[in-house]
Amino acid sequence: EDKVVQSPLSLVVHEGDTVTLNCSYEVTNFRSLLWYKQEKKAPTFLFMLTSSGIEKKSGRLSSILDKKELFSILNITATQTGDSAIYLCAVGGTGANNLFFGTGTRLTVIP
Amino acid sequence: KAGVTQTPRYLIKTRGQQVTLSCSPISGHRSVSWYQQTPGQGLQFLFEYFSETQRNKGNFPGRFSGRQFSNSRSEMNVSTLELGDSALYLCASSPVVLAGELFFGEGSRLTVL
């Protein structure tokens, strides 16, 4: 059965801290792994990863995929209160837009 | 470019009723997917439409159905509502059919009493 597991479930840090969010998966016909940020309602896209070992970066956020060990990490450096959100990991198979989502990691950044 | 628009944003129904939710994708996007989000289960895939055809369906009972119109707008319907159907229903659009970036709407929050 396809599944995506995220850890930790929740995390509380102080501004300026660095956090690492984890995502492990078991999905048939893997095509891509995506990270989304959900602050209120609509998840917004962060990264899509398809190849192992290639880091994607956007500002203070970065992510990498390990297709051999079936996991990905999302790093956030110098956290800010605006980073407070639920971070969702999703994995997609080939030929369709049905993504399998993890239940998310709730990050709270305290001033 | 306008984003994905979902209506209604909030609705309250009672058990046994039915509900129809609407989604207008980003202009030019032909793929529309629906997801149910609950606190315990996270986001779960309901179905996906492309060019008016259902391409994929998640593991939900037949009470959940959908369709897509020629202008790519989509509707989903839930009949004989149950308390457990209370959730945020999210619609997402994509220009292509492959496991890539999805653009989500704000969702329709359904409460079943």
Side-chain angles (χ1 to χ4, degrees):
Chain A
E1 184 181 319
D2 297 330
K3 62 180 178 180
V4 177
V5 179
Q6 293 186 247
S7 63
L9 292 180
S10 66
L11 195 55
V12 180
V13 301
H14 290 94
E15 268 193 320
D17 287 350
T18 293
V19 297
T20 298
L21 310 182
N22 304 294
C23 175
S24 63
Y25 64 90
E26 292 178 30
V27 174
T28 53
N29 300 318
F30 173 88
R31 176 181 173 84
S32 58
L33 185 143
L34 299 95
W35 286 95
Y36 285 85
K37 178 182 182 182
Q38 186 175 27
E39 293 179 80
K40 293 178 182 176
K41 295 286 176 64
T44 54
F45 172 81
L46 294 174
F47 297 110
M48 182 169 74
L49 304 152
T50 57
S51 300
S52 276
I54 299 175
E55 185 182 53
K56 292 266 184 114
K57 280 184 71 86
S58 177
R60 296 175 295 102
L61 278 68
S62 64
S63 183
I64 197 162
L65 172 67
D66 186 327
K67 289 169 72 174
K68 181 180 177 185
E69 300 297 330
L70 307 183
F71 80 89
S72 174
I73 60 172
L74 174 68
N75 280 318
I76 308 175
T77 59
T79 51
Q80 303 171 357
T81 55
D83 295 327
S84 296
I86 297 173
Y87 289 84
L88 299 167
C89 173
V91 177
T94 56
N97 275 324
N98 55 313
L99 299 179
F100 294 96
F101 280 84
T103 52
T105 293
R106 181 180 292 277
L107 174 64
T108 303
V109 182
I110 301 172
Chain B
K1 216 177 197 181
V4 177
T5 304
Q6 291 189 244
T7 58
R9 294 290 307 281
Y10 302 91
L11 64 166
I12 299 174
K13 294 285 187 178
T14 56
R15 279 180 299 176
Q17 288 187 308
Q18 75 165 12
V19 66
T20 299
L21 309 177
S22 179
C23 172
S24 293
I26 292 171
S27 177
H29 286 194
R30 295 166 62 190
S31 171
V32 174
S33 306
W34 288 89
Y35 289 81
Q36 181 196 66
Q37 187 175 29
T38 58
Q41 298 293 322
L43 274 88
Q44 292 186 286
F45 172 75
L46 281 157
F47 25 64
E48 180 201 7
Y49 289 88
F50 183 84
S51 294
E52 302 178 67
T53 300
Q54 186 181 87
R55 288 184 55 88
N56 221 332
K57 189 178 192 314
N59 190 26
F60 279 82
R63 300 184 296 106
F64 292 81
S65 63
R67 59 178 176 169
Q68 186 181 34
F69 302 96
S70 59
N71 61 357
S72 293
R73 190 177 72 84
S74 178
E75 289 182 346
M76 68 164 280
N77 183 275
V78 189
S79 61
T80 320
L81 284 166
E82 301 176 359
L83 295 179
D85 297 331
S86 294
L88 179 67
Y89 290 87
L90 290 163
C91 168
S93 75
S94 172
V96 295
V97 178
L98 44 85
E101 180 182 356
L102 300 181
F103 298 81
F104 284 89
E106 294 280 302
S108 293
R109 170 75 64 187
L110 169 65
T111 301
V112 182
L113 302 176

